Amino acid sequence: MNQKSVPVAKAIADRIERLILDGGLAPEEKIPSERQLALRMGVSRSIVREALHELHGRGVIETQHGRGSFVAHIVPEPGMETPLMRLFTGHTRTLYDLLEVREQLEGQAARLAAQRATSRDRHRITKAYDAMQAADPLTNAGLDHAFHLAIVEASHNPVLVHVLDSLKSLMLMTVQASVTNLSPREPFKKQIDQHHRKIYQAIMKGQPQAAQRAATAHVRHVSESMREIEENEHPIIRSGPVSRHSHQNG
Amino acid sequence: MNQKSVPVAKAIADRIERLILDGGLAPEEKIPSERQLALRMGVSRSIVREALHELHGRGVIETQHGRGSFVAHIVPEPGMETPLMRLFTGHTRTLYDLLEVREQLEGQAARLAAQRATSRDRHRITKAYDAMQAADPLTNAGLDHAFHLAIVEASHNPVLVHVLDSLKSLMLMTVQASVTNLSPREPFKKQIDQHHRKIYQAIMKGQPQAAQRAATAHVRHVSESMREIEENEHPIIRSGPVSRHSHQNG
DNA sequence: AAATGGCAACTGGTCAGACCACTTTATGAA
DNA sequence: TTCATAAAGTGGTCTGACCAGTTGCCATTT
């Protein structure tokens, strides 16, 4: 039957991968040179290179100019990344895109929480809120998260819970501890505390609109603060395209 | 300090990835041809191919012989489920949860589109809108989707694009063709057309608030309509896990 | 007018061979 | 022995050619 005619490069990538997995090639171990592989597998070097790039993309190998390619360290981290995460991580702009979306969803969560929170929900939110009040800034990050999570779950919309959870994970991958860096700064902390209070009270009083407004403003404020800090501390990082190697010699 | 002279292929891969993000390229969307990319980025086609293989390895793109390369679907992966699609599929209630979230995000998308749409975006939205106007209800589903997609992408927030795409996929998995079932009903169609017109005009006039309100109302209206229909046709389905749509008229 | 078939003109897939840039190693002079 | 240097080996890039699917256009046929 029709075998779909798999591209050779794809096949070679798989072969090399199997060679690594089955064939005893250990991490750090050097794999044959491109020219050698091409010869041994009976394909052109271009194909081998494309296959190696594929494997590099998969995180299977590392390549060093003039030295060779090596089997990558395999880290069996449980926190596997979805393609979505891969796509976004590393791009600074993404952080603000994420915050832009969160701004909306946290607002909605707060609104729904104000409408739907059961007495148990209210109790949990209150507990989280109180814990957050009496805590040092270091622990604060986790408590802050707990507070917001309690609110989101009080919305009783599992989709919302899940999406916000994903967005938070993405944020953590994009830039670690940015939020944490924010906390210590006194004036910010004061403002954030105030936001939290507003959100909390609105939900408790069952005022959907106020809750939404407060939560939205909260995220936006955090976002803007981060942007300011970034612009002050690393003005324009912009990992721009590497200029084509410019002949510095002569 | 020494910048280690990053390989061009690596840089190009990142640039293309960025092109997907900044350019707001949506899943399924075609990316420029290899020859075109090579020309535009001032490198050889080999480099572009290696970069594309890298991206393919990362799961960012899919490539088809003779057709081109496309932004990969983030959602569907046989064994590797997105965090999102874990629990939900099959539960009718989820549909309304999804719509509840969409309501918010579509609103935001419309607002941002009104603020950020370039002339090219406006042109595309107009084209989609016009196409939708002069079409029979059968084709309408796809055109409706195209219209909303154009708006979302005009928001220039890739995160928003992907999240909404995921939500839509989830909706399709939850219940097929619900929206399509809605269209034929004359009174609904009239209303929906009117909503679309409002959204369209607000974006074109650059009125963020109005655009957001209109888009939010639109989704909410669709949601409520579906709920009514459902309650009429299958009274009380509520939170029961609805296995596959076994549709027998009666 | 509609269906058919075939010919461009796209697109990606593969190959060959040539250089360039970097690392390691062997070489040979001090 | 030491050390600079050449040589050899490795990955990095370019060019241009050709093969192989896909798609749309258009004349032909029905």
Side-chain angles (χ1 to χ4, degrees):
Chain A
M1 270 329 220
N2 220 333
Q3 254 325 60
K4 266 296 179 118
S5 94
V6 177
V8 180
K10 210 320 193 170
I12 296 295
D14 292 342
R15 268 180 78 179
I16 296 177
E17 194 177 52
R18 197 157 310 149
L19 197 107
I20 294 173
L21 267 44
D22 299 347
L25 288 195
E28 294 268 353
E29 191 159 338
K30 190 182 172 194
I31 76 181
S33 75
E34 296 176 355
R35 288 171 176 84
Q36 232 171 317
L37 284 170
L39 203 64
R40 193 195 308 187
M41 307 210 164
V43 296
S44 74
R45 194 180 151 215
S46 322
I47 295 304
V48 172
R49 283 186 60 73
E50 289 174 4
L52 291 180
H53 274 91
E54 165 99 23
L55 293 181
H56 183 269
R58 292 187 204 167
V60 176
I61 66 170
E62 291 287 333
T63 298
Q64 278 170 284
H65 192 171
R67 298 190 12 89
S69 293
F70 306 83
V71 180
H73 282 122
I74 297 173
V75 191
E77 290 293 334
M80 57 178 176
E81 4 175 286
T82 67
L84 179 62
M85 296 176 177
R86 274 230 158 96
L87 187 59
F88 289 139
T89 46
H91 302 278
T92 305
R93 228 208 85 186
T94 299
L95 180 61
Y96 300 111
D97 291 336
L98 283 163
L99 282 167
E100 201 169 73
V101 177
R102 269 194 65 186
E103 175 184 319
Q104 209 68 18
L105 294 183
E106 294 274 7
Q108 185 185 26
R111 194 188 80 230
L112 294 177
Q115 287 175 335
R116 301 175 179 172
T118 66
S119 60
R120 185 160 34 229
D121 292 329
R122 289 163 193 276
H123 187 263
R124 185 179 160 203
I125 292 175
T126 299
K127 230 176 86 181
Y129 179 71
D130 291 341
M132 200 170 52
Q133 291 301 75
D136 57 313
L138 284 181
T139 328
N140 216 309
L143 295 179
D144 179 282
H145 182 266
F147 175 62
H148 286 284
L149 183 62
I151 292 175
V152 176
E153 293 191 352
S155 77
H156 292 275
N157 183 330
V159 173
L160 194 52
V161 174
H162 225 96
V163 170
L164 271 171
D165 181 65
S166 296
L167 294 183
K168 270 173 196 161
S169 301
L170 279 174
M171 280 187 56
L172 286 182
M173 306 206 88
T174 302
V175 45
Q176 269 150 334
S178 276
V179 186
T180 320
N181 285 340
L182 212 58
S183 303
R185 321 208 170 203
E186 264 313 310
F188 288 123
K189 184 165 177 3
K190 264 253 165 62
Q191 286 179 301
I192 287 179
D193 281 347
Q194 195 166 338
H195 288 160
H196 283 159
R197 210 189 73 247
K198 269 192 183 174
I199 297 172
Y200 173 70
Q201 289 176 343
I203 290 177
M204 286 305 146
K205 289 182 189 170
Q207 300 170 331
Q209 284 230 330
Q212 176 166 24
R213 250 201 314 276
T216 301
H218 173 54
V219 176
R220 181 177 301 152
H221 174 261
V222 171
S223 176
E224 284 169 359
S225 301
M226 286 180 59
R227 184 167 255 132
E228 281 173 23
I229 289 181
E230 191 193 351
E231 282 170 1
N232 287 345
E233 297 192 349
H234 355 250
I236 304 178
I237 290 217
R238 248 287 197 284
S239 68
V242 181
S243 57
R244 327 223 299 97
H245 52 230
S246 50
H247 253 331
Q248 71 278 35
N249 185 10
Chain B
M1 278 315 239
N2 219 333
Q3 255 322 45
K4 262 310 176 102
S5 91
V6 177
V8 179
K10 212 304 195 182
I12 295 296
D14 291 341
R15 269 180 77 180
I16 295 177
E17 194 178 61
R18 200 179 217 102
L19 198 104
I20 293 175
L21 288 178
D22 294 353
L25 288 194
E28 292 264 24
E29 190 156 337
K30 189 170 181 248
I31 74 182
S33 76
E34 296 176 352
R35 289 167 175 87
Q36 223 170 317
L37 283 171
L39 203 65
R40 193 193 309 188
M41 306 207 167
V43 296
S44 75
R45 195 182 148 210
S46 326
I47 293 307
V48 171
R49 282 187 61 74
E50 291 175 4
L52 290 180
H53 275 90
E54 166 96 23
L55 292 181
H56 182 269
R58 293 189 204 165
V60 175
I61 65 170
E62 291 288 336
T63 298
Q64 278 170 280
H65 191 170
R67 301 197 358 95
S69 292
F70 307 82
V71 179
H73 258 132
I74 319 292
V75 186
E77 186 70 37
M80 195 81 101
E81 27 164 46
T82 302
L84 282 182
M85 52 198 310
R86 224 159 264 154
L87 333 175
F88 304 134
T89 47
H91 300 273
T92 304
R93 232 212 84 187
T94 299
L95 182 60
Y96 301 111
D97 291 337
L98 282 164
L99 282 167
E100 200 169 73
V101 176
R102 269 193 67 186
E103 174 184 320
Q104 208 69 16
L105 294 183
E106 295 274 7
Q108 185 186 26
R111 194 188 80 231
L112 293 177
Q115 288 175 334
R116 301 175 178 171
T118 66
S119 59
R120 185 161 31 230
D121 292 329
R122 287 163 194 277
H123 186 263
R124 185 178 161 205
I125 293 175
T126 299
K127 231 176 84 183
Y129 180 70
D130 290 342
M132 200 171 52
Q133 290 303 74
D136 59 309
L138 284 181
T139 329
N140 216 311
L143 294 178
D144 181 281
H145 181 265
F147 175 62
H148 286 284
L149 182 61
I151 292 176
V152 177
E153 293 188 358
S155 77
H156 290 273
N157 183 330
V159 173
L160 194 52
V161 173
H162 276 86
V163 169
L164 271 171
D165 181 65
S166 297
L167 294 183
K168 272 172 196 162
S169 299
L170 274 175
M171 280 185 56
L172 286 182
M173 308 203 88
T174 303
V175 45
Q176 270 150 332
S178 279
V179 184
T180 319
N181 286 341
L182 211 58
S183 301
R185 323 213 168 199
E186 264 313 311
F188 289 124
K189 184 164 177 5
K190 264 258 166 61
Q191 286 179 301
I192 287 180
D193 281 347
Q194 195 166 338
H195 288 161
H196 284 158
R197 211 188 73 246
K198 269 192 184 173
I199 298 172
Y200 174 70
Q201 288 176 342
I203 291 178
M204 286 304 147
K205 289 183 188 169
Q207 299 172 332
Q209 283 229 334
Q212 176 166 24
R213 251 201 314 275
T216 301
H218 173 55
V219 177
R220 181 176 301 153
H221 174 260
V222 171
S223 177
E224 285 170 357
S225 301
M226 286 180 60
R227 184 167 255 133
E228 282 174 21
I229 288 181
E230 192 193 347
E231 281 171 2
N232 287 346
E233 297 193 351
H234 344 250
I236 305 183
I237 290 216
R238 228 18 190 170
S239 60
V242 157
S243 51
R244 291 304 174 206
H245 224 54
S246 50
H247 215 9
Q248 78 272 8
N249 38 351

